[in-house]
C-alpha cells in the first residue's frame, strides 16, 4: 500500500477547519464523499495524512495514486492501492488487469475486491491526483460512492489541470448530481500562516521581514517553502531569504517552460525582469512585440499556469519561484539591458509608480535615478499608508546614500508604523545623530520617545526626554520648540507622569496658537486629551477634546493622530451606546490602516473587539476576538509591548471563564518575555493560585504583587476587583485583604471601583449593612461592565439574605441573571450558589443539593471549627492535615454555602 508523503513542518499549518470537516465525516460511520482541490504543493496529501492520524485503528485505509500517463492504464489507482496487500486474491488481481474481460466484469471484480478487504469495518478510501486518473478508475470511484457502509471516499485533484477531455471532469459533474459531496478547496497560506510554518519547522519565531519576504518568494505554497527549508538545512530564516534555489526545485519549476518556442522564451524571460507586476504595454515595449503576437504568447503562458492575469492589462507569475527559476538562467548583461529598456520606457511615459522606477534603475545601475525614485516613493507610500513598501524603498536608497536625512526619516517612521521596532530604532537614532536642522532633531526625538515606549525601555525614554529639554532651552519660540514640547508631553503621558504631560501640552498649545501651527496644535491636543482621559474626574473633558479633533485630523491627513485619539476613546470610559462604541472602533481601524499603523490596525483593533464583547456581556465572543488577534501574531518574532500583545488580556478572560489550564500555559508563554510590565506575572500567578485553591503559592505571589504595586505610579480599580475577589474566594485572612485594598487603590481610580472594593471588604468582615449600601449605590454604574454589575447584584443579594430580606434578594438575583446571561466562570458560580440558598435554580438546571446539606462530613467538621474562630494553621494542627489542605476545605465550604467570609459561615452554623 502506498504511504503518504510528509513535510518539513512537524505540524500542519492553516488547515484546521478543513481537517475538522473531514474528521467529522470519517467519524460519522456513514457513507460520505469528499473532494479535495488545490494547486500542486498546496498540502492536499498532508491534510489527508493528518486526517488518517485521527481515525480508529480498526479503520481500513486504502490509498491509491494516479500518475502521469495513467489514462492508458485501466484501474491504475486501485491496483496501486492494493499493491503489497497479501490478503488480496491473485486471481482477482489478474482478472482486474485482464484486457480480455468486459469492462463491466472488471468493474465488478474491483468492487468485489474492495468489499472483501473492508467487510463491515469503517474505511477511508483515497484516490490521489484524480486529474491523471484513467476512465476505469473514475468509474470505479463513482461506483464506490454508491456503496453503503461506514466509509469515507476521498479524492484529490488539481483544478487547473482538468480539461473536459479528462475522465475526472465528467466524474465530478455526475457526483454532484447523485451525491452530497463535501468540497474542500485549499488556498495558499497567508503571511501569518507562512510565519507559523517557519516557526514550526525551525523551532523559533520568524522575524517579520524574513517571513514576509519568504511568503512573497514562495507565494504561500507550503511545498515550495518546505523544499527551501529542507534543501538548505542550517540556515536561519533571515539567511534563507537570500539563498539561491536548490537545483532540484529550480529544475522542477523550469520544466513548465522548457518546450516554449524562441519568441515565447524571450518574452517570458523579459517578464521575469519586469517585476512582480507585469504591465502589458511595458512588456510589449521592452520586447518589441506586436499586440496580437503578445496576446497569443500570454494566452499560452496563462493556459500553462505560468502566468495569471492579475489586473486589467497586467500579469504576474503564478508562483514567484517560477519567475526566480527562469530569471536565474539569464546573463547579467541580459538582465541589465532589460532593466535599462524598462527604465527608459517608464521615464519617457512619466510613470507614476516610483517603486517600479527604482527597481529598474537599480537593476540598470543608474543610481541617481534610483535615489530620486526612492525619495519620492518612500514619502508617497508613507502618505497613503503603505508603510512596509515605504521602508523597502527608503532602505534601497539608503544603500547608496546612507546619511540622507530624508530617507532616514522615512525609514524610521515606516519601520515604526510597520511594527519593526528594532529597524525603527536603528534608523531613528541615525536620523537624530545626522540631523542637520533643529526641525529634524525635534522630529526624530519625538519618534524615538514613542519607539522607546513601545520597546518598554523607560530608561531610554527618560534620557531622550532630557535631550529634548536641553534642545528646548536652545531653541527660540516657534515651530521647532513647540514640536519638542509635544514630544515631552507624549513622553510624560506614556510614563504616567500626568501633571507634567498636561503642563507641556499646554505650553505647546500656547505656541501653536501664537505662531499658527495647526499640525503642532493637533499633536498637543492628542496628548492633552489622552492625559485628561486617564483621570476619572477629568475623563469627560479629555474625551470631548479627542472627539472634537478627530475630524480635523482626518481632514488634514494626520491619520496617526486621528487613530491615536480614537484608540483612547475606544479603550477608555465606554460610550453609553454600543453602536457608537463599535463605530468608533471601526473608524480607528480605518484611520490606522490609512496611516499604515500596524499595531492599531491589527493588534489594538482585536482588543477593541474584545472590549465591545465585554460591554455586551459576551465572554465567549471576547475570548474569540483575542484568540483571533493572537493568531494574527502567531509565529512572528516581535519585541517590546507587541511581543505577546493579547496574552495578558486573554489570561484575564480565561480566569473569568475558569479555563485555568490555559492561564497556566499563558503564564509560561509570557514569563520569558523581557517586555512584561512588572505586575504581569505576579498578578496572574496570584490570581491563578487563588482560583486553584493553592494558598502557599498565593501567599508568596501576593508578597510579590504588593512589592511591585508600591513601585508603580498607577492603579487599576478593575485589576484590584479581580485580585481581591480571588483572594476572598481563597479565604485569605482579613488583614491580608485589608492590605490589598490599601495598596491596590489610589485617589485616581474610578469612584465606582473604590466603592466596590470597600463593599467587598466590608462583606468579608461581616459588615453586611455597610456592604449592602455600597453595592446598591453602584448597581447601575456605567464604568463597570455588565459582568461586574452582575456580581455587584449577586453580592447585594448575599447581604440581603444575611438580613433575611429574601424578596429583595430574589429581585437582585433576577437582575444579575440577565447581566450574566452571556458570561461564565466564577461569577456565574457565585450567582448559582446564592440562588441555591434561596431555593432558586435555573429553568434548565437539574436539582442540586446546596447549602449545609452539600457539605461532606469532614467539611461539616471544619465548618464548626471555623465558627469557633480557628485560622487555617490552627485547623491544620487540630485535624492533623496540612495548611494547604485546610485552605482547600475552607474554600470548598465557602463555595458550597454561597458565602464569602468565615463570619458568614459562623452565622450559618449558629442558626443550625
Amino acid at each position: 500500500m502506498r504511504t503518504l508523503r510528509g513535510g518539513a513542518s512537524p505540524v500542519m499549518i492553516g488547515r484546521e477547519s478543513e481537517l475538522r470537516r473531514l474528521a467529522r465525516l470519517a467519524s460519522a460511520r456513514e457513507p460520505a464523499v469528499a473532494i479535495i482541490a488545490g494547486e500542486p504543493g498546496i498540502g492536499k496529501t498532508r491534510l489527508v495524512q493528518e486526517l488518517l492520524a485521527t481515525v480508529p485503528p480498526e479503520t481500513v485505509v486504502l490509498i491509491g495514486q494516479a500518475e502521469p500517463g495513467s489514462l492508458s492504464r485501466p484501474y491504475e489507482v486501485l491496483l496501486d492501492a492494493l499493491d503489497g496487500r497479501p490478503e488480496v486474491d491473485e486471481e482477482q488481481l489478474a482478472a482486474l488487469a485482464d484486457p480480455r474481460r468486459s469492462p463491466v466484469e472488471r468493474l465488478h471484480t474491483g468492487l468485489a475486491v474492495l468489499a472483501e478487504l473492508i467487510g463491515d469495518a469503517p474505511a477511508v478510501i483515497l484516490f490521489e491526483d484524480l486529474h491523471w486518473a484513467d476512465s476505469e478508475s473514475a468509474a470505479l470511484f463513482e461506483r464506490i460512492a454508491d456503496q453503503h457502509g461506514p466509509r469515507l471516499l476521498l479524492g484529490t485533484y488539481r483544478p487547473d489541470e482538468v480539461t473536459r477531455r479528462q475522465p475526472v471532469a465528467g466524474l465530478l459533474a455526475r457526483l454532484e448530481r447523485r451525491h452530497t459531496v463535501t468540497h474542500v478547496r485549499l488556498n495558499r497560506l497567508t503571511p501569518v500562516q507562512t510565519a507559523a510554518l517557519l516557526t514550526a519547522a525551525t523551532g523559533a519565531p520568524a522575524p517579520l521581514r524574513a517571513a514576509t519576504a519568504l511568503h512573497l518568494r514562495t507565494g504561500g505554497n507550503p511545498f515550495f517553502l518546505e523544499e527551501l527549508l529542507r534543501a538548505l538545512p542550517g540556515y536561519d530564516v533571515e539567511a534563507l531569504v537570500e539563498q539561491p534555489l536548490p537545483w532540484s526545485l529550480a529544475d522542477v519549476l523550469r520544466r513548465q517552460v522548457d518546450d516554449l518556442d524562441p519568441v515565447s522564451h524571450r518574452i517570458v524571460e523579459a517578464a521575469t525582469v519586469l517585476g512582480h507586476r507585469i504591465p502589458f504595454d511595458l512588456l510589449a515595449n521592452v520586447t518589441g512585440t506586436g499586440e496580437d503576437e503578445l496576446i497569443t504568447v500570454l494566452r499560452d503562458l496563462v493556459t500553462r499556469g505560468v502566468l495569471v492575469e492579475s489586473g486589467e492589462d497586467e500579469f504576474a507569475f503564478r508562483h514567484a519561484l517560477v519567475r526566480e527559476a527562469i530569471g536565474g538562467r539569464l546573463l547579467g548583461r541580459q538582465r541589465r539591458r532589460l532593466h535599462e529598456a524598462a527604465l527608459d520606457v517608464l521615464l519617457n511615459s512619466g510613470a507614476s509608480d516610483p517603486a517600479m522606477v527604482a527597481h529598474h534603475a537599480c537593476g540598470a545601475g543608474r543610481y541617481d535615478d534610483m535615489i530620486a525614485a526612492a525619495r519620492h516613493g518612500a514619502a508617497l507610500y508613507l502618505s497613503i499608508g503603505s508603510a512596509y513598501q515605504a521602508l523597502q524603498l527608503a532602505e534601497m536608497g539608503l544603500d547608496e546614500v546612507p546619511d540622507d536625512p530624508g530617507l532616514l526619516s522615512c525609514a524610521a517612521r515606516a519601520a515604526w508604523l510597520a511594527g519593526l521596532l528594532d529597524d525603527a530604532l536603528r534608523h531613528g537614532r541615525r536620523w537624530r545623530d545626522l540631523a542637520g536642522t533643529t526641525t529634524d532633531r525635534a522630529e526624530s526625538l519625538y519618534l524615538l520617545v514613542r519607539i522607546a515606549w513601545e520597546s518598554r525601555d523607560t530608561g531610554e525614554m527618560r534620557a531622550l526626554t532630557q535631550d529634548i529639554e536641553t534642545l528646548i532651552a536652545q531653541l527660540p519660540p516657534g515651530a521647532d520648540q513647540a514640536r519638542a514640547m509635544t514630544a515631552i508631553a507624549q513622553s510624560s503621558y506614556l510614563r504616567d507622569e500626568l501633571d507634567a504631560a498636561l503642563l507641556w501640552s499646554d505650553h505647546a498649545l500656547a505656541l501653536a496658537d501664537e505662531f499658527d501651527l495647526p499640525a503642532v496644535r493637533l499633536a498637543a491636543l492628542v496628548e492633552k486629551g489622552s492625559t485628561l482621559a486617564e483621570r476619572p474626574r477629568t475623563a469627560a473633558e479629555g474625551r470631548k477634546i479627542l472627539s472634537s479633533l478627530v475630524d480635523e485630523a482626518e481632514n488634514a491627513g494626520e491619520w496617526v493622530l486621528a487613530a491615536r485619539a480614537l484608540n483612547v476613546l475606544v479603550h477608555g470610559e465606554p460610550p453609553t451606546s454600543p453602536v457608537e462604541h463599535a463605530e468608533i472602533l471601526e473608524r480607528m481601524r480605518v484611520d490606522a490602516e490609512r496611516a499604515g499603523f500596524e499595531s492599531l490596525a491589527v493588534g489594538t483593533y482585536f482588543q477593541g473587539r474584545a472590549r465591545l464583547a465585554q460591554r455586551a456581556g459576551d465572554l465567549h465572543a471576547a475570548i474569540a476576538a483575542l484568540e483571533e488577534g493572537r493568531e494574527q501574531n502567531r509565529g512572528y518574532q516581535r519585541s517590546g509591548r507587541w511581543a505577546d500583545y493579547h496574552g495578558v488580556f486573554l489570561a484575564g478572560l480565561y480566569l473569568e471563564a475558569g479555563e485555568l489550564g490555559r492561564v497556566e500555559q499563558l503564564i509560561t508563554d509570557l514569563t520569558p518575555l523581557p517586555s512584561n510590565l512588572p505586575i504581569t506575572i505576579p498578578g496572574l500567578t496570584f490570581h491563578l493560585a487563588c482560583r486553584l485553591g493553592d494558598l502557599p503559592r498565593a501567599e508568596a505571589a501576593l508578597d510579590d504583587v504588593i512589592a511591585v504595586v508600591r513601585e508603580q505610579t498607577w492603579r487599576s480599580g478593575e485589576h484590584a476587583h479581580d485580585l481581591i475577589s480571588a483572594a476572598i474566594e481563597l479565604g485569605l485572612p482579613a488583614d491580608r485583604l485589608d492590605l490589598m485594598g490599601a495598596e491596590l487603590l489610589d485617589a485616581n481610580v474610578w469612584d465606582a471601583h473604590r466603592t466596590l472594593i470597600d463593599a467587598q471588604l466590608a462583606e468579608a468582615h461581616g459588615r453586611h449593612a455597610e456592604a449592602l449600601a455600597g453595592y446598591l449605590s453602584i448597581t447601575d454604574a456605567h464604568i463597570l461592565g455588565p459582568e461586574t454589575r452582575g456580581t455587584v447584584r449577586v453580592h447585594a443579594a448575599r447581604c440581603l439574605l444575611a438580613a433575611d430580606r429574601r424578596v429583595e434578594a430574589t429581585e437582585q438575583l433576577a437582575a444579575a441573571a440577565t447581566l450574566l446571561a452571556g458570561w461564565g466562570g466564577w461569577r456565574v458560580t457565585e450567582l448559582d450558589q446564592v440562588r441555591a440558598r434561596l431555593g432558586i435554580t435555573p429553568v434548565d438546571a437539574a436539582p442540586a443539593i446546596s447549602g449545609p446539606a452539600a457539605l461532606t462530613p469532614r467539611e461539616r467538621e471544619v465548618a464548626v471549627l471555623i465558627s469557633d474562630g480557628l485560622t487555617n494553621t490552627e485547623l491544620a494542627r487540630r485535624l492533623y492535615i496540612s495548611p494547604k489542605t485546610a485552605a482547600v476545605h475552607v474554600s470548598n465550604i465557602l463555595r458550597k454555602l454561597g458565602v464569602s467570609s468565615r463570619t458568614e459561615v459562623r452565622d450559618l452554623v449558629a442558626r443550625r
Side-chain angles (χ1 to χ4, degrees):
M1 185 186 78
R2 179 178 296 272
T3 57
L4 291 170
R5 302 179 295 270
S9 171
V11 295
M12 183 177 64
I13 300 297
R15 311 298 187 212
E16 292 82 3
S17 63
E18 292 87 349
L19 179 60
R20 284 194 296 270
R21 290 173 64 195
L22 294 176
R24 282 196 295 267
L25 293 178
S27 62
R29 298 298 179 106
E30 295 178 353
V33 181
I35 300 295
I36 306 171
E39 65 184 56
I42 204 65
K44 301 183 292 296
T45 300
R46 180 63 183 271
L47 175 61
V48 176
Q49 184 181 34
E50 296 290 333
L51 170 67
L52 296 181
T54 70
V55 300
E58 67 271 17
T59 304
V60 177
V61 176
L62 293 171
I63 302 171
Q65 180 166 359
E67 301 284 356
S70 294
L71 292 175
S72 61
R73 297 194 297 272
Y75 297 106
E76 172 73 16
V77 182
L78 178 58
L79 291 169
D80 184 61
L82 300 177
D83 185 36
R85 284 189 171 269
E87 65 267 39
V88 178
D89 186 88
E90 291 293 336
E91 290 185 6
Q92 288 182 309
L93 284 177
L96 185 63
D98 188 354
R100 294 170 298 178
R101 296 178 182 267
S102 71
V104 173
E105 187 178 2
R106 294 165 73 184
L107 177 63
H108 283 285
T109 299
L111 291 171
V113 170
L114 289 174
E116 290 178 14
L117 267 178
I118 296 171
D120 295 327
V124 176
I125 305 168
L126 169 65
F127 280 34
E128 279 213 273
D129 294 329
L130 281 171
H131 49 280
W132 287 326
D134 57 277
S135 58
E136 290 83 359
S137 292
L140 179 63
F141 189 94
E142 186 176 356
R143 290 299 298 273
I144 296 172
D146 294 334
Q147 304 297 304
H148 297 290
R151 62 188 60 175
L152 171 60
L153 179 61
L154 292 171
T156 70
Y157 79 106
R158 303 173 185 175
D160 291 343
E161 298 189 24
V162 173
T163 67
R164 285 181 293 179
R165 294 182 178 182
Q166 291 169 292
V168 68
L171 168 65
L172 294 174
R174 291 191 299 274
L175 286 173
E176 282 295 326
R177 291 194 296 268
R178 298 176 57 186
H179 299 279
T180 299
V181 180
T182 298
H183 288 278
V184 177
R185 179 65 182 258
L186 299 185
N187 297 313
R188 297 180 183 184
L189 299 181
T190 64
V192 170
Q193 291 165 344
T194 298
L197 191 150
L198 290 168
T199 298
T202 63
L208 175 61
R209 299 184 71 171
T212 302
L214 284 170
H215 176 76
L216 184 64
R217 190 179 184 194
T218 61
N221 184 289
F223 170 73
F224 292 162
L225 193 59
E226 290 184 337
E227 284 299 297
L228 285 175
L229 290 164
R230 185 182 287 111
L232 300 168
Y235 289 104
D236 62 31
V237 172
E238 290 181 304
L240 194 63
V241 173
E242 302 298 332
Q243 293 301 316
L245 284 178
W247 176 88
S248 57
L249 182 55
D251 187 58
V252 168
L253 296 168
R254 283 195 289 257
R255 288 177 196 167
Q256 297 182 61
V257 297
D258 276 349
D259 61 341
L260 290 177
D261 62 79
V263 173
S264 297
H265 249 301
R266 181 170 56 82
I267 289 172
V268 79
E269 286 177 344
T272 66
V273 173
L274 294 187
H276 299 293
R277 296 181 293 110
I278 309 162
F280 182 94
D281 291 337
L282 181 60
L283 183 60
N285 279 298
V286 168
T287 60
T289 309
E291 182 173 338
D292 291 341
E293 183 180 13
L294 185 55
I295 288 173
T296 301
V297 172
L298 290 174
R299 186 188 299 121
D300 177 53
L301 292 171
V302 169
T303 302
R304 289 169 176 263
V306 176
L307 298 181
V308 294
E309 195 167 7
S310 55
E312 186 175 351
D313 277 345
E314 185 177 278
F315 297 82
F317 280 88
R318 179 176 291 277
H319 291 291
L321 286 182
V322 174
R323 169 175 170 253
E324 187 177 333
I326 298 170
R329 285 180 165 179
L330 295 177
L331 297 174
R333 180 176 288 274
Q334 282 180 284
R335 283 194 293 270
R336 188 164 58 252
R337 287 175 62 185
L338 287 167
H339 280 303
E340 286 176 347
L343 179 60
D344 288 337
V345 171
L346 291 171
L347 292 178
N348 291 334
S349 64
S352 60
D353 188 344
M356 192 175 288
V357 172
H359 167 70
H360 291 300
C362 186
R366 289 163 55 175
Y367 296 109
D368 288 344
D369 289 325
M370 184 273 286
I371 293 167
R375 285 173 176 151
H376 169 59
L380 173 66
Y381 285 135
L382 268 179
S383 71
I384 61 174
S386 297
Y388 194 75
Q389 290 81 354
L391 176 60
Q392 289 180 307
L393 266 182
E395 290 185 337
M396 182 186 291
L398 287 170
D399 285 341
E400 292 302 316
V401 283
D403 295 344
D404 186 281
L407 288 172
L408 286 167
S409 165
C410 287
R413 294 177 192 278
W416 167 62
L417 289 170
L420 301 169
L421 297 184
D422 292 340
D423 293 316
L425 186 60
R426 175 167 53 87
H427 293 307
R429 284 174 172 170
R430 189 159 181 80
W431 177 28
R432 174 199 60 191
D433 295 342
L434 296 173
T437 66
T438 54
T439 300
D440 265 348
R441 185 159 179 80
E443 292 287 346
S444 63
L445 289 169
Y446 184 90
L447 180 61
L448 284 170
V449 164
R450 185 79 189 190
I451 295 168
W453 176 71
E454 294 189 9
S455 301
R456 300 287 198 201
D457 191 343
T458 54
E460 175 76 0
M461 289 181 72
R462 291 191 184 92
L464 289 166
T465 303
Q466 291 174 357
D467 289 346
I468 300 170
E469 290 176 348
T470 301
L471 178 64
I472 289 173
Q474 298 169 353
L475 292 172
D480 292 343
Q481 190 183 67
R483 185 61 169 168
M485 289 175 175
T486 62
I488 296 185
Q490 175 182 236
S491 176
S492 301
Y493 163 67
L494 295 175
R495 288 182 289 116
D496 299 304
E497 296 179 0
L498 302 185
D499 290 335
L502 286 175
L503 177 66
W504 284 105
S505 57
D506 282 337
H507 286 334
L509 283 169
L511 287 177
D513 290 339
E514 180 181 351
F515 292 94
D516 189 23
L517 307 170
V520 172
R521 176 179 165 276
L522 281 173
L525 283 173
V526 168
E527 307 306 338
K528 181 173 183 176
S530 301
T531 301
L532 291 171
E534 287 292 310
R535 289 173 166 163
R537 289 166 183 77
T538 58
E541 181 185 356
R543 292 179 63 82
K544 182 178 180 181
I545 290 173
L546 295 172
S547 298
S548 63
L549 69 81
V550 172
D551 285 340
E552 185 180 349
E554 290 174 342
N555 291 334
E558 294 284 356
W559 303 113
V560 170
L561 293 178
R564 281 188 57 203
L566 290 164
N567 180 47
V568 174
L569 294 174
V570 165
H571 291 93
E573 181 185 5
T576 54
S577 164
V579 173
E580 181 187 355
H581 201 173
E583 288 173 349
I584 293 172
L585 176 63
E586 289 302 320
R587 189 175 180 183
M588 182 209 76
R589 180 183 62 81
V590 169
D591 285 356
E593 286 179 346
R594 287 176 174 174
F597 202 165
E598 192 261 357
S599 59
L600 286 188
V602 181
T604 305
Y605 172 70
F606 284 102
Q607 290 218 5
R609 279 178 46 188
R611 294 283 183 197
L612 280 175
Q614 269 192 295
R615 297 303 300 186
D618 191 338
L619 179 58
H620 175 75
I623 289 174
L626 287 182
E627 288 178 337
E628 184 181 352
R630 201 164 185 247
E631 182 71 16
Q632 297 291 318
N633 275 342
R634 188 172 64 134
Y636 285 126
Q637 183 186 75
R638 297 191 184 273
S639 59
R641 69 193 308 266
W642 311 117
D644 194 340
Y645 186 58
H646 302 292
V648 178
F649 192 176
L650 187 56
L653 293 183
Y654 283 155
L655 283 163
E656 287 283 331
E659 299 278 357
L660 303 185
R662 292 186 172 187
V663 180
E664 194 81 74
Q665 182 59 55
L666 272 172
I667 292 174
T668 300
D669 293 344
L670 291 166
T671 298
L673 300 179
S675 55
N676 291 316
L677 290 174
I679 189 61
T680 298
I681 302 303
L684 289 175
T685 301
F686 172 75
H687 196 160
L688 177 62
C690 290
R691 298 300 178 195
L692 289 171
D694 188 342
L695 182 61
R697 186 182 180 191
E699 286 279 14
L702 180 57
D703 291 337
D704 294 337
V705 168
I706 298 301
V708 168
V709 166
R710 286 172 175 167
E711 298 298 319
Q712 282 184 173
T713 58
W714 55 273
R715 299 291 186 272
S716 166
E718 186 177 350
H719 190 225
H721 165 61
D722 290 341
L723 296 186
I724 289 175
S725 297
I728 290 172
E729 178 181 315
L730 179 63
L732 280 186
D735 61 322
R736 298 289 272 170
L737 296 177
D738 291 340
L739 174 65
M740 292 178 69
E743 296 290 351
L744 295 177
L745 299 176
D746 67 6
N748 289 319
V749 301
W750 289 89
D751 289 341
H753 282 126
R754 176 178 295 282
T755 300
L756 172 57
I757 301 302
D758 289 344
Q760 285 185 279
L761 294 176
E763 185 185 3
H765 283 284
R767 302 194 301 271
H768 295 108
E770 177 187 337
L772 177 62
Y775 289 139
L776 293 178
S777 71
I778 56 173
T779 53
D780 297 315
H782 178 62
I783 192 62
L784 303 179
E787 78 285 357
T788 307
R789 297 201 305 274
T791 295
V792 165
R793 290 186 179 273
V794 170
H795 288 195
R798 285 200 311 219
C799 294
L800 288 164
L801 195 54
D804 203 27
R805 295 159 63 180
R806 300 175 69 86
V807 173
E808 294 168 87
T810 302
E811 292 172 352
Q812 291 295 331
L813 290 180
T818 301
L819 291 165
L820 295 172
W823 213 252
W826 65 271
R827 296 183 191 274
V828 174
T829 299
E830 284 188 341
L831 169 64
D832 291 342
Q833 289 168 350
V834 183
R835 275 173 157 171
R837 289 176 61 188
L838 278 168
I840 304 170
T841 57
V843 175
D844 57 348
I849 300 173
S850 61
L855 300 181
T856 66
R858 184 63 153 177
E859 287 168 349
R860 285 196 289 273
E861 181 182 4
V862 174
V864 171
L865 295 176
I866 291 174
S867 69
D868 290 338
L870 271 67
T871 66
N872 285 359
T873 302
E874 291 167 336
L875 285 171
R877 192 178 302 118
R878 177 78 65 88
L879 298 173
Y880 302 100
I881 59 178
S882 70
K884 180 178 179 180
T885 302
V888 171
H889 282 313
V890 171
S891 178
N892 289 338
I893 290 166
L894 294 173
R895 175 174 54 80
K896 290 180 179 181
L897 296 181
V899 298
S900 61
S901 69
R902 292 167 182 260
T903 304
E904 290 173 291
V905 173
R906 184 183 62 214
D907 293 344
L908 280 172
V909 171
R911 285 204 294 270
R912 291 184 63 85

